[in-house]
């Protein structure tokens, strides 16, 4: 039995390694990744995970992208209150929270999703008592009376650039059949 377990472990490690290598991004079509040209993405892995680079999105500041498409799902990276025109944080706490949600919305909409298509949100704030009410206010403003997605809100010690807020989301946006 020990040999079978050892062989299963080797097989599992082999598949994990192959899966990791499979996620290495290949190809470069130079597309914008917007919904007007589905399948025209900056980069796509062998397994079909595509990097999103929509017009109007903020510029990534490091080794990350603003979002990916994986099948019928759009995954948006943590968005903060950065003005996409200047790549600088906007002034004011409420304005910063609103801008973070708008940045997330831009990426989701580039793939045909709306805020009502959010299947999960994760929000990070540096002060729960002070910033959670702002998050609720902005969500009420942007979602209206539509259904709200499941959300986790987590207080953290710090965020990049001493920001107060960050939101990430997953959206359902079925790929249209050609």
């Amino acid at each position: 039995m020990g040999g079978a377990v050892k062989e299963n472990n080797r097989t599992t490690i082999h598949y994990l390694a192959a899966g990791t290598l499979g996620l290495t991004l290949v190809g470069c079509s130079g597309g914008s990744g917007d919904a007007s040209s589905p399948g025209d993405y900056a980069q796509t892995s062998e397994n079909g995970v595509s990097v999103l680079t929509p017009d109007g999105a903020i510029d990534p500041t490091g080794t990350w992208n603003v979002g990916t498409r994986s099948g019928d799902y759009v995954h948006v990276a943590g968005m903060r209150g950065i003005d996409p025109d200047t790549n600088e944080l906007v002034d004011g706490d409420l304005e910063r929270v609103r801008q973070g949600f708008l940045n997330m919305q831009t990426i989701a909409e580039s793939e045909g999703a709306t805020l009502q298509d959010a299947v999960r949100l994760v929000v990070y704030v540096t002060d729960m008592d002070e910033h959670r009410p702002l998050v609720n206010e902005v969500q009420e403003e942007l979602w209206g009376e539509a259904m709200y997605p499941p959300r986790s809100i987590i207080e953290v010690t710090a965020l990049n650039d001493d920001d107060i807020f960050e939101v990430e989301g997953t959206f359902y946006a079925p790929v249209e059949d050609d």
Side-chain angles (χ1 to χ4, degrees):
M1 180 160 178
V5 170
K6 190 179 278 187
E7 183 59 35
N8 284 341
N9 285 342
R10 264 188 253 156
T11 301
T12 300
I13 290 168
H14 171 77
Y15 284 125
L16 287 173
T20 301
L21 290 173
L23 288 176
T24 303
L25 297 175
V26 297
C28 190
S29 67
S32 66
D34 64 19
S36 64
S37 55
D40 188 21
Y41 299 103
Q43 297 174 311
T44 301
S45 77
E46 291 178 17
N47 290 325
V49 176
S50 299
V51 171
L52 306 180
T53 57
D55 291 335
I58 65 169
D59 292 331
T61 56
T63 56
W64 60 281
N65 288 292
V66 296
T68 58
R69 174 179 273 284
S70 174
D72 290 338
Y73 291 90
V74 174
H75 306 274
V76 179
M79 292 288 113
R80 296 181 300 121
I82 297 173
D83 180 337
D85 292 331
T86 65
N87 268 333
E88 299 291 329
L89 289 170
V90 299
D91 291 329
D93 290 356
L94 181 62
E95 293 78 8
R96 197 172 285 178
V97 171
R98 182 180 297 112
Q99 186 63 55
F101 274 102
L102 293 175
N103 290 340
M104 181 180 66
Q105 181 179 20
T106 295
I107 297 159
E109 286 180 349
S110 77
E111 290 297 306
T114 67
L115 291 177
Q116 286 70 41
D117 296 314
V119 295
R120 176 108 173 101
L121 299 178
V122 180
V123 176
Y124 304 93
V125 295
T126 56
D127 184 317
M128 188 71 74
D129 293 334
E130 189 174 335
H131 302 126
R132 185 175 153 273
L134 302 177
V135 170
N136 289 339
E137 182 178 338
V138 169
Q139 278 199 259
E140 288 172 3
E141 172 189 317
L142 295 176
W143 268 262
E145 299 207 10
M147 64 182 194
Y148 298 110
R151 176 187 87 186
S152 296
I153 188 164
I154 303 162
E155 184 173 311
V156 296
T157 304
L159 291 166
N160 195 30
D161 294 329
D162 293 322
D163 205 353
I164 61 163
F165 158 87
E166 188 169 310
V167 61
E168 62 184 57
T170 302
F171 295 81
Y172 182 67
V175 177
E176 295 182 16
D177 294 331
D178 292 333

